Amino acid sequence: MKPVFRLLILSLVSLTFSCQNKTEKSEITKINSIEEPEVIADNQDTFYQYSIWFAFVNKVFDGNLTVKELKTHGDVGLGSFDFLDGELVMLDGVPYRIRENGEISVGQDNDEIVYADAAFFEKEEEFTIEEPFNFSDLASKLDAKKKSPHYFYIYKVHGSFKHIKLGGVPKVERPFTEGLDVLIPNRPVFEAENISGTLVGFYCPDYIGDINARGHHFHFISDDKKWGGHVMDFESSGALEVQSDTKTKYEFDLPVSKEFENVDLSKTFQYN
């Protein structure tokens, strides 16, 4: 009887430890399942930036942020690819590359980016601008709807345009001898008539200083994905549908490179 009793005791002890382990694993699973949505929710309200504006101005044209990583920070965005090999406009999670010859392709996961703004777009407000107007009037129309000029804003503006003027960026090679103050005034320009598409825009308050471009910054992608670039001018041909998202958190990553470590940030340049 004693051997049988001992075997029974060992079985009960084993069963007890097994139940405890399952309970502990279950509790860990529950904790993890609770924490994960909090991380996701936190990311939803963040304006993300890679590199800083004055590094971009001062010839830091080789970055190490991949398209794959960028997509973990947002589903809308704008910026430039490595070596200025194309303007970036991301819409609905698709990162389009607009090269200096006007060619448009979809950025691949391992493509690298030198500078970018990105966010997960959560529509908070929607309104229509009825009357035709010019690009120079857009900022004031958007400002009139802001809760405060001290927050960050993301925009999607869709509609038809009688005329639109877009800028590209010229691809550069090492050694980088010219900064944006020289490259932008001589940038490639694309113009189109009677075209529909979406403006993807980011707004930064003036206090952002040298970290980002102040005010409004827009890139465009046409509905047929044949035209895109940095918005320089336009004349709308009808109502524009505006969606906006207010962001109250700001996060940025810096390039990890000798180029960034040693850059002279003394040159200033702002443009919209």
Side-chain angles (χ1 to χ4, degrees):
M1 290 296 293
K2 287 183 180 179
V4 174
F5 179 72
R6 286 173 184 164
L7 181 60
L8 179 60
I9 291 295
L10 289 172
S11 297
L12 288 172
V13 170
S14 176
L15 180 61
T16 301
F17 280 121
S18 176
C19 290
Q20 285 178 341
N21 287 339
K22 286 180 179 178
T23 302
E24 289 173 0
K25 289 179 181 178
S26 177
E27 290 301 321
I28 291 171
T29 301
K30 287 179 182 178
I31 290 171
N32 288 339
S33 67
I34 291 172
E35 289 179 348
E36 187 175 358
E38 291 178 357
V39 173
I40 294 172
D42 184 68
N43 202 20
Q44 296 294 318
D45 197 35
T46 301
F47 182 125
Y48 173 79
Q49 179 182 344
Y50 174 72
S51 192
I52 58 173
W53 176 246
F54 269 27
F56 192 39
V57 167
N58 286 278
K59 299 178 289 188
V60 178
F61 295 144
D62 186 4
N64 44 41
L65 176 73
T66 65
V67 165
K68 183 177 181 179
E69 174 65 16
L70 179 68
K71 290 190 287 188
T72 68
H73 295 288
D75 53 18
V76 296
L78 52 78
S80 292
F81 285 86
D82 252 15
F83 295 86
L84 306 188
D85 188 16
E87 291 273 29
L88 164 71
V89 53
M90 182 160 62
L91 177 64
D92 300 328
V94 181
Y96 298 98
R97 182 203 291 258
I98 302 104
R99 285 193 162 94
E100 62 181 312
N101 63 357
E103 174 188 282
I104 296 180
S105 61
V106 175
Q108 301 303 297
D109 279 352
N110 61 348
D111 288 344
E112 291 184 323
I113 294 165
V114 66
Y115 180 87
D117 293 333
F120 287 103
F121 190 85
E122 296 287 325
K123 183 179 66 177
E124 292 184 4
E125 188 171 3
E126 186 172 19
F127 59 94
T128 302
I129 305 174
E130 296 287 354
E131 72 280 5
F133 63 99
N134 296 325
F135 181 51
S136 59
D137 301 319
L138 180 60
S140 62
K141 293 180 182 297
L142 297 179
D143 289 344
K145 297 286 186 176
K146 284 188 176 76
K147 299 174 185 176
S148 167
H150 308 312
Y151 293 134
F152 297 86
Y153 295 88
I154 319 298
Y155 294 99
K156 291 183 185 178
V157 183
H158 183 268
S160 297
F161 301 87
K162 182 178 179 180
H163 174 261
I164 191 164
K165 181 179 180 181
L166 307 170
V169 283
K171 183 180 178 181
V172 294
E173 302 288 349
R174 293 184 183 279
F176 306 131
T177 58
E178 297 176 328
L180 290 191
D181 59 322
V182 174
L183 296 173
I184 292 300
N186 296 290
R187 70 190 314 170
V189 173
F190 318 118
E191 299 191 61
E193 308 287 334
N194 301 317
I195 190 170
S196 62
T198 302
L199 310 177
V200 175
F202 286 69
Y203 167 85
C204 290
D206 286 346
Y207 62 70
I208 201 65
D210 301 343
I211 294 174
N212 206 326
R214 297 188 288 271
H216 298 88
H217 184 180
F218 284 94
H219 284 192
F220 173 83
I221 187 76
S222 63
D223 288 342
D224 61 10
K225 307 303 183 288
K226 293 182 178 179
W227 289 90
H230 173 87
V231 180
M232 301 173 68
D233 196 11
F234 70 67
E235 181 182 354
S236 66
S237 58
L240 294 185
E241 301 296 328
V242 181
Q243 297 180 3
S244 69
D245 182 11
T246 307
K247 300 298 186 185
T248 57
K249 296 180 182 179
Y250 195 94
E251 172 188 327
F252 64 90
D253 286 327
L254 300 176
V256 180
S257 65
K258 290 295 182 183
E259 188 175 64
F260 180 79
E261 290 172 10
N262 300 316
V263 65
D264 177 0
L265 298 176
S266 60
K267 183 169 288 188
T268 63
F269 179 71
Q270 285 280 341
Y271 82 107
N272 292 108

